[in-house]
């Protein structure tokens, strides 16, 4: 029986060996592997032999057989997309390491996707695998200037016309070809290329989509945007986007949490590092740095859990609620911050303000340091219908706040904490104006930097070696 893959391969003029050679080259391999080595970019004879043995397996679809060359000059968009569409459940689409990038070109007609998936085939139980888990080893590179910069475009766009079950992307770098001198999207910079977009569709959420050991970089819009639930990012880095790094906006509850980020890094983005707008999200082991708008959640969010986060020099705030509307807002938001270090933010460390929504907070092991307060009152701010639990528990540390206090509690907010360490905050340990601050123990002491052991930049994100 001729399979869908064989038919598409024939139509694509598969490789130099032709259709018969394609069929005869498919042999079962003895081992299953998801990374074929971490050695140097110059392949040894043994590495070449191992690569070809893996590529020849019956359950592997090699993009080269569909015409992809990875020379940085040939447009590989159609070849890679055809290979992915040809794969059948349980198969792996294989991108071998190449000396240059896999070039992805646009037609310049506007609102284009270089790799548009999900509209023509079922991609359940498909893995798209780069050969080597290393920076730049398999780069999908947008050809600069090939897209219409006045419209939205996407590098990888899975369209949720149906539920994706077991779709995995691993060991890939996606480069959006952002102009080198481009400014932030919100400051009149270009905003035309999104790296990854899970587009909302008839599926309604509840997917099983994973990205592992991936970098998404230099996109003039956001790096990763997910409009339906059921996405997990493990060891993923978003950097130098014109707008946001990670942008989960799934309003459905088919999968809960709707977005999971484990071992993620988001740095140098023109918007936020994390911009959580709808639904639920759980973030564990993350590092953010130098994001123009810090990290935030919006009024549509039902629950946000942040565990083991290090925010370093995020401009604006380490975390802030951004409540700007009243439509489709939950009665109560639930926000968890555990083992969080915010260092050197430009406005304040963490701000929680309900603005027509009650926010129930769980603060434990939260440390804020060296805050140059602007347009705020303290290193940590709770106001307007925000409150912690009824028990005085947890540990917070605020050190070195300029132009403000350690903690500000106002507008009927309530903060209950077990241990409160404060040191060298210009306006004192706390300011309580029409709010309530209760604590079991308070000390004027600096217990030491990063006492809760949050991660450094090299310990999380793509190719960090942290499996989590």
């Amino acid at each position: 029986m001729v399979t869908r893959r064989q038919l598409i391969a024939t139509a694509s003029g598969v490789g130099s060996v032709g259709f018969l050679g394609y069929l005869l080259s498919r042999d079962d391999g003895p081992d299953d592997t998801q990374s074929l080595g971490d050695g140097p970019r110059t392949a040894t004879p043994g590495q070449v032999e191992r690569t070809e043995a893996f590529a020849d397996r019956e359950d592997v679809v090699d993009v080269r057989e569909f015409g992809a060359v990875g020379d940085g000059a040939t447009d590989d968009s159609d070849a890679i997309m055809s290979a992915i569409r040809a794969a059948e459940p349980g198969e792996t689409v294989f991108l071998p390491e190449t000396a240059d990038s896999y070039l992805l070109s646009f037609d310049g007609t506007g609102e284009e996707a270089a790799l548009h998936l999900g509209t023509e085939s079922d991609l359940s139980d498909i893995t798209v695998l780069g050969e080597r888990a290393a920076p730049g080893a398999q780069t999908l590179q947008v050809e600069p200037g090939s897209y219409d910069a006045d419209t939205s475009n996407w590098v990888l766009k899975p369209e949720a016309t149906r539920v994706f079950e077991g779709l995995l992307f691993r060991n890939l770098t996606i480069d959006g070809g952002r102009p080198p001198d481009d400014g932030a999207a919100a400051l009149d910079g270009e905003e035309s290329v999104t790296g990854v977009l899970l587009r909302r569709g008839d599926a309604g959420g509840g997917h099983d989509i994973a990205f592992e050991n991936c970098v998404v970089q230099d996109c003039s819009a956001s790096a990763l945007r997910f409009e339906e639930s059921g996405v997990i990012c493990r060891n993923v880095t978003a950097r130098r986007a014109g707008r946001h790094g990670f942008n989960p906006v799934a309003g459905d509850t088919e999968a809960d949490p709707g977005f999971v980020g484990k071992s993620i890094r988001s740095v140098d983005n023109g918007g936020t590092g994390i911009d959580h707008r709808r639904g639920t999200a759980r973030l564990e082991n993350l590092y953010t740095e130098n994001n123009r708008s810090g990290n935030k959640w919006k009024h549509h969010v039902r629950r946000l859990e942040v565990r083991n986060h290090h925010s370093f020099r995020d401009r604006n705030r380490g975390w802030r609620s951004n409540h700007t509307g009243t439509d489709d807002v939950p009665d109560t938001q639930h926000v968890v911050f555990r083992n969080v270090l915010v260092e050197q933010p430009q406005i304040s460390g963490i701000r929680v303000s309900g603005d027509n929504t009650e926010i129930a907070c769980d603060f434990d092991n939260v440390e804020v340091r060296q805050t140059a307060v602007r347009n705020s009152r303290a290193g940590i701010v709770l106001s307007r219908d925000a409150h912690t639990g009824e028990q005085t528990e947890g540990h917070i540390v605020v050190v070195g706040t300029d132009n403000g206090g350690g903690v500000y509690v106002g507008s009927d907010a309530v903060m209950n904490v077990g241990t409160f360490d404060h040191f060298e905050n210009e306006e004192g340990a706390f300011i309580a104006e029409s709010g309530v601050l209760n604590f079991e123990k308070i000390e004027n002491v600096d217990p030491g930097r990063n006492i809760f052991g949050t991660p450094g930049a090299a310990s999380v994100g793509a190719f960090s070696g942290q499996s989590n």
Side-chain angles (χ1 to χ4, degrees), residues 6 206 289:
Q6 293 164 357
E289 180 179 349

Side-chain angles (χ1 to χ4, degrees), residues 19-32:
F19 182 51
L20 179 60
Y22 173 82
L23 293 179
L24 294 177
S25 68
R26 320 307 298 174
D27 296 319
D28 288 333
D31 300 314
D32 185 18

Side-chain angles (χ1 to χ4, degrees), residues 93-121:
V93 179
F94 180 53
L95 285 81
E97 182 179 7
T98 55
D100 215 315
S101 61
Y102 291 94
L103 189 68
L104 306 179
S105 293
F106 293 86
D107 294 332
T109 56
E111 297 190 353
E112 298 177 80
L115 301 175
H116 193 187
L117 305 174
T119 57
E120 297 184 12
S121 58

Side-chain angles (χ1 to χ4, degrees), residues 20 37 52 67 96 139 147 149 183 195 228 232 260 291 311 327 353 357 362 366 386 388 415-416 425 442:
L20 179 60
E52 296 308 318
T139 297
Y147 51 86
E228 290 193 355
I232 182 168
V260 175
N291 296 294
S311 164
D327 296 334
S353 181
T357 302
D362 181 349
V366 173
T388 60
M415 186 172 192
N416 296 313
N425 299 296
I442 184 169

